[in-house]
């Protein structure tokens, strides 16, 4: 019943390019944490536009993105 109820509504970011939803946000956060210095994770810079899926969760979540992104990068650098 829950699965059916959730599938009725559109996902976050549907039809809103280039932000195509939560999956894109997670992928982008892995990209940020793996490729930028820690001090730039939450700063608006030329390499980190906070208006485009900027990190907006607490640091523990950012470190989780970093760990996941590090594993993804070892598998295939194009992932992040």
């Amino acid at each position: 019943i829950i699965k059916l109820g959730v599938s009725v509504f559109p996902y976050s970011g549907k039809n809103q390019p280039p932000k195509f939803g939560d999956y894109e946000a997670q992928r982008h956060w892995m990209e940020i944490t793996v490729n930028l210095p820690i001090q730039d994770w939450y700063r608006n810079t030329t390499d980190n536009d906070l208006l485009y899926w900027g990190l907006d969760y607490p640091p523990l979540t950012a470190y989780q993105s970093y760990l996941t992104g590090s594993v993804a990068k070892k598998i295939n650098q194009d992932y992040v």
Side-chain angles (χ1 to χ4, degrees):
I1 292 172
I2 293 172
K3 191 174 185 179
L4 178 62
V6 171
S7 67
V8 173
F9 301 100
Y11 56 86
S12 170
K14 183 175 183 180
N15 299 322
Q16 296 176 3
K19 296 181 180 183
F20 290 106
D22 292 333
Y23 177 78
E24 174 62 17
Q26 297 296 326
R27 189 212 56 79
H28 187 68
W29 293 338
M30 287 190 292
E31 180 181 6
I32 289 169
T33 56
V34 169
N35 294 305
L36 293 179
I38 292 172
Q39 63 267 20
D40 288 345
W41 286 0
Y42 292 95
R43 290 181 41 216
N44 194 39
T45 66
T46 55
D47 293 326
N48 186 21
D49 180 2
L50 294 180
L51 296 178
Y52 181 83
W53 290 123
L55 277 169
D56 58 357
Y57 287 140
L60 181 60
T61 305
Y63 285 111
Q64 185 273 331
S65 292
Y66 174 76
L67 291 173
T68 307
S70 295
V71 171
K73 190 172 185 176
K74 288 187 186 292
I75 295 170
N76 184 341
Q77 290 188 355
D78 290 338
Y79 290 166
V80 292

